[in-house]
Amino acid sequence: MNPQPAPTELPAKLTLKAVSRIFGEVTALAPTDLSVEAGEFISVVGPSGCGKSTMFNIIAGVLAPSNGKVLIDGKDVTNSSGHVGYMLQKDLLLPWRTVLDNIVLGAILTGGASRAEREEGVALARRYGLGDFINHYPAALSGGMRQRVALMRTLAMHHDVMLLDEPFGALDSQTRLAMQQWLLSVWEKEKRTIVFVTHDIDEAVFLADRVVVMTPRPGRIHEIIDVPIKRPRPVSSLTDPEFVRLKQRILATIYQDPRAANDEAAHDE
Ligand code: ADP
Ligand code: MG
């Protein structure tokens, strides 16, 4: 059972209010509302071009919305950066910097990493399985390890909200599964709020408390689906009947297959 949080007077951790973005003729994001509670893990899924990265860029304050507001803890942060940790779709490590330097890069770029910040970087690397690699260069690491370094860099920036844009997209499926489990263990320890973009529906459902399903032309949130699968989630969750049912529902939404949608409606009570 995954009861809904009790209604509260506290503002949500992250709120989008009618946020939209138009590029010339293209409505990259139609007016969008979203509310994310502290500590939630939200997946955002949808085909290429449905506005996922546009939404993230607006939340991160690096792209101006055409309209609407972004709030964090109820505070208006529209058009202002530095309030969230953001791991870009192409979050490249600096090849000429060590693993440790890459982890503390945020501090290096804003005036230099203090001894305490470097020690914290070492502690992060140890806690999450890269302790033996802090003095290596990225070229010596596997793809999964490089993504872990990029994620630790985002963690080291100490924001409650982390936006992760398809962080595992380039990994093979087995490494990807290992990384998903690793990410869940990090999330459980760090108690951050995570919004995670992926076009992989298994990944979206496996990780999330709720899945935001987006559709293109115009890019918008079509549906938000609760994932009432208990945690911790073993790999066997992937074949749980509830998991399969949620996956079918998301596929039907994305591909707008009328038969699939009707089948789904027939199963809904
Ligand atoms: P996703 O991340 O879901 O693949 P994007 O948010 O990158 O989608 O893009 C959504 C739509 O907006 C696409 O049609 C894309 O071509 C368009 N778009 C994104 N960024 C720009 C830009 N800087 N200038 C013009 N069009 C853009
Ligand atoms: Mg994208």
Side-chain angles (χ1 to χ4, degrees):
M1 293 293 282
N2 231 354
Q4 288 294 308
T8 163
E9 296 302 311
L10 281 177
K13 178 53 75 180
L14 169 69
T15 309
L16 306 191
K17 283 192 178 168
V19 168
S20 65
R21 176 69 203 210
I22 296 168
F23 291 110
E25 304 277 281
V26 177
T27 300
L29 191 64
T32 292
D33 294 302
L34 181 65
S35 180
V36 181
E37 297 302 324
E40 257 196 307
F41 197 125
I42 301 287
S43 293
V44 180
V45 74
S48 190
C50 69
K52 305 182 296 294
S53 295
T54 298
M55 184 167 84
F56 268 21
N57 288 335
I58 293 171
I59 295 170
V62 297
L63 176 74
S66 301
N67 266 301
K69 280 192 178 139
V70 178
L71 312 178
I72 291 185
D73 293 321
K75 181 169 164 266
D76 189 341
V77 297
T78 317
N79 288 318
S80 115
S81 61
H83 300 279
V84 297
Y86 189 10
M87 183 168 160
L88 295 166
Q89 198 162 356
K90 292 201 173 61
D91 202 347
L92 302 176
L93 302 180
L94 299 181
W96 60 89
R97 292 272 195 180
T98 63
V99 162
L100 180 57
D101 281 359
N102 271 287
I103 292 174
V104 299
L105 193 67
I108 289 175
L109 295 178
T110 51
S114 66
R115 185 186 175 129
E117 283 164 330
R118 300 186 75 82
E119 278 169 4
E120 195 214 347
V122 173
L124 268 177
R126 290 213 179 108
R127 193 179 324 149
Y128 297 121
L130 287 172
D132 292 339
F133 295 89
I134 51 174
N135 295 317
H136 286 57
Y137 288 87
L141 306 182
S142 68
M145 291 162 95
R146 282 199 289 270
Q147 290 309 88
R148 276 192 264 169
V149 174
L151 198 94
M152 283 179 214
R153 171 196 287 171
T154 314
L155 281 171
M157 293 198 260
H158 295 289
H159 296 295
D160 295 345
V161 179
M162 304 209 321
L163 311 177
L164 311 179
D165 195 350
E166 303 204 24
F168 307 146
L171 303 175
D172 66 81
S173 62
Q174 275 164 48
T175 304
R176 193 172 181 140
L177 191 53
M179 290 296 292
Q180 289 161 4
Q181 291 170 295
W182 178 82
L183 177 61
L184 285 180
S185 75
V186 172
W187 172 67
E188 276 153 22
K189 284 200 192 82
E190 303 286 334
K191 314 268 185 242
R192 310 279 178 102
T193 306
I194 295 185
V195 190
F196 183 101
V197 160
T198 178
H199 54 247
D200 180 321
I201 296 168
D202 280 289
E203 179 168 84
V205 177
F206 182 60
L207 294 174
D209 297 316
R210 292 188 291 153
V211 178
V212 172
V213 184
M214 295 184 67
T215 51
R217 289 177 296 277
R220 66 191 186 96
I221 294 179
H222 190 283
E223 198 175 5
I224 300 179
I225 295 174
D226 283 322
V227 182
I229 298 173
K230 70 176 194 306
R231 299 182 188 270
R233 295 180 184 163
V235 176
S236 59
S237 314
L238 290 162
T239 48
D240 187 296
E242 176 66 8
F243 185 98
V244 175
R245 197 185 67 78
L246 289 166
K247 198 173 141 179
Q248 282 168 345
R249 182 162 155 207
I250 294 168
L251 280 165
T253 300
I254 290 179
Y255 295 103
Q256 301 284 312
D257 177 333
R259 282 167 305 169
N262 287 340
D263 283 348
E264 184 48 45
H267 292 298
D268 271 354
E269 299 309 324

